[in-house]
Each structure stands twice: as structure tokens, then as C-alpha cells.
Amino acid sequence: MKKRSKTRRNVEAVIWYIVMGILAILFVLPFIWMLSTAFKTGPQCVDYPPTFIPRPFSLRAFKEVFAISPIFKYIRNSLVIVGLNIFGTLLSCSLVAYGFSRFNCKEKNIWFTILLSTMMIPNFTLIIPQFGMYTKLKWVNTILPLTVPAFLATNAFSVFILRQFFLSFPKELDEAARLDGCSYFGVFWRILLPNSKTVMFVVALFCFVGSWNDFFGPLIYLNDMEKYTLAVGLVMLKASQGATLDMGPMMAAALIAVIPTFILYLTCQKYFVQGVVTSGLKG
């Protein structure tokens, strides 16, 4: 019986790995196709049947992208917005999470529930009132609508992750610091933050991906082509290409947009998993 049970488990494991392998191939296939097309020559992009391996490899698509599109300007604009959003989110959300995790008041749970409930409100329902407000403030066609909300702790998910981690942190250290004359902000700045690098990195990573890939916000609030982000620039590039079958330049630009996120996840996967587990399962 034991031998039969072991054989059954081995068969189930093999089937499971086969299914996971097929699914992995299906998920990776579009990325492989994008990578392949980015290095093809013009005639290879319209060949039928299509081939995955470019012969020969060509940088023609990248040269065309740099010639017809200010891609470096789009990247710079995206990096500015991403950097401000990461800084604002880490600063404001960590302070709010510290308050929810350390201070006691009767309405604390009610306010935290209201904060979490904002995650269930679709962003598209807020576009019209937000656009009207930013128009009155004369913020349209500036990066302010895309960056200022990050400094106001509007990212409820980040507040939740940080609060969960802060709750798992022993309060005895806070009390010891307070007895030594440390202020509440000193406890936050000197005790909690230095020990929260992993979870702060996870919040920064989520913020980076969300801001880097944001298309709808820059499209609504930015009117000047010089201020476009990379996500909007890709759509402008697609529009300039028209109905051509040569997707080489488009795939090259898409590859440039994907590389930062891909490298970030590839090099920091250990910290990402560790931060999610630490912040999400405790508290």
C-alpha cells in the first residue's frame, strides 16, 4: 500500500509539473514574441509563417524608435513621476500606518475600515470630480495631479501592508525608547523605520510598477507631448505607425518599457516574497 501510495503521489506530481509548465509557457510566450520581434528586420516582421529566432539579429527597430519618438524624454518624465510617488507613498503611508498601529482611540477601527473601503471604489468613477477639482486648482497639464496624492496617503493598500508589519513589531521597544526620552516621532524614525526596510521595499516596488505602467492618469491630465510618460508615449508611437504590419519599432519600445520592471523583480524577488510574507501574515 505504501509503495502504491508513493507511486500515486509521484504521478500526481508529474502531472502537476506538466500543467504548470504548459501554463508557464503560455504566460511567457507573449514576452518571447515581443523580444524576438524587437530584433527582427523589416521583412522578417511580416514573414509567414512567422519565426521566433531572428536571422540575422538587427537593431533596426530600436534605431527607428529613437529616430521617430522622443523616448528618452518619455523615460525621464516617467522616472520623475515614479520617484516622487515612491517618496510620497513611503513617507505618508508609513506615518498613517504608524498612527493606526500604535495610537488608541475609539474611532480608530472605524477610520481604518473607511480607509480600506476606498479600495473598492473604481478609480474611473472619480475621474470627473478629480478633473474638475484639478482644473480649478490649475494643475492640469502638470505632474501635480499625478504626484501630490501620493503625499496624502491615498494608497490604502500600502497603509494596510505597513500597519500589518508595525502591529507585529514588539511594543516593548517603543516603551523603552519613550522611557529614554524619545518622542513618538523619534520612535517611528529611529525604531520602526530602520527595522522596516523589507516591507518598505515591497511598498516601493508596488508603487513603482503602478506609477510606471499608469496610462490613464497621464493621458487625462497631461496635454503637452513634451510631458508625456512612457506609457502614453507608446500609444502615440503606435498611432504614428498607422496600420503597418511592421511591429518591430513598437515591440522595441515595449521592450524598453518592460525592462526596468523585469530587472527589478528578477533581482529583488527574495526581498519581495519576504516582505509580503512578513507584512501580510502577521498582525
Side-chain angles (χ1 to χ4, degrees):
M1 291 294 295
K2 290 183 178 180
K3 185 176 181 180
R4 184 177 300 176
S5 178
K6 184 178 180 180
T7 303
R8 182 179 177 181
R9 288 198 301 269
N10 291 337
V11 172
E12 290 177 352
V14 170
I15 295 175
W16 177 254
Y17 282 122
I18 291 175
V19 172
M20 291 296 101
I22 294 174
L23 291 176
I25 292 173
L26 292 177
F27 280 109
V28 174
L29 193 60
F31 178 79
I32 295 177
W33 180 253
M34 176 183 66
L35 185 65
S36 171
T37 306
F39 290 98
K40 287 181 178 179
T41 61
Q44 286 178 334
C45 290
V46 296
D47 278 349
Y48 187 83
T51 57
F52 274 95
I53 301 177
R55 294 178 180 173
F57 278 84
S58 173
L59 297 177
R60 180 266 326 177
F62 293 92
K63 294 178 181 178
E64 290 188 16
V65 168
F66 296 139
I68 64 178
S69 175
I71 191 112
F72 287 115
K73 189 170 295 184
Y74 295 153
I75 294 175
R76 183 199 64 189
N77 296 338
S78 294
L79 289 176
V80 170
I81 293 175
V82 167
L84 290 173
N85 280 336
I86 290 177
F87 177 74
T89 299
L90 292 179
L91 178 64
S92 61
C93 291
S94 60
L95 285 170
V96 173
Y98 174 65
F100 277 123
S101 64
R102 286 302 191 264
F103 301 131
N104 295 318
C105 67
K106 294 181 180 179
E107 298 82 9
K108 183 179 72 171
N109 292 332
I110 296 176
W111 285 113
F112 186 66
T113 302
I114 294 174
L115 176 66
L116 292 183
S117 66
T118 60
M119 292 192 296
M120 295 183 289
I121 302 176
N123 291 331
F124 297 104
T125 62
L126 304 175
I127 288 296
I128 294 177
Q130 285 180 345
F131 186 83
M133 178 181 67
Y134 293 140
T135 300
K136 292 181 179 179
L137 291 173
K138 297 182 180 180
W139 285 6
V140 176
N141 202 31
T142 69
I143 66 172
L144 294 178
L146 305 173
T147 56
V148 170
F151 289 84
L152 303 177
T154 56
N155 193 328
F157 183 66
S158 298
V159 174
F160 171 76
I161 291 179
L162 290 167
R163 173 185 175 272
Q164 292 301 100
F165 179 80
F166 291 160
L167 284 175
S168 69
F169 205 79
K171 292 185 178 181
E172 289 76 12
L173 291 177
D174 298 26
E175 296 170 359
R178 291 287 296 156
L179 289 174
D180 289 338
C182 196
S183 64
Y184 287 111
F185 182 78
V187 172
F188 166 74
W189 188 259
R190 299 174 183 273
I191 305 297
L192 285 182
L193 282 189
N195 292 281
S196 308
K197 294 179 181 178
T198 303
V199 69
M200 296 287 278
F201 174 80
V202 173
V203 172
L205 184 60
F206 280 126
C207 184
F208 174 87
V209 175
S211 299
W212 183 263
N213 295 329
D214 184 23
F215 167 74
F216 203 70
L219 181 66
I220 292 294
Y221 297 119
L222 300 179
N223 302 325
D224 189 354
M225 190 173 180
E226 296 292 317
K227 299 177 181 179
Y228 282 165
T229 60
L230 186 56
V232 180
L234 291 178
V235 177
M236 297 298 106
L237 176 62
K238 172 61 179 174
S240 67
Q241 292 289 295
T244 179
L245 296 177
D246 182 8
M247 296 299 295
M250 190 64 201
M251 292 300 175
L255 181 60
I256 294 173
V258 167
I259 284 177
T261 306
F262 181 75
I263 293 177
L264 200 60
Y265 271 114
L266 191 65
T267 56
C268 305
Q269 184 178 8
K270 179 180 70 174
Y271 303 102
F272 173 73
V273 174
Q274 181 182 354
V276 170
V277 171
T278 302
S279 60
L281 299 182
K282 293 186 178 181

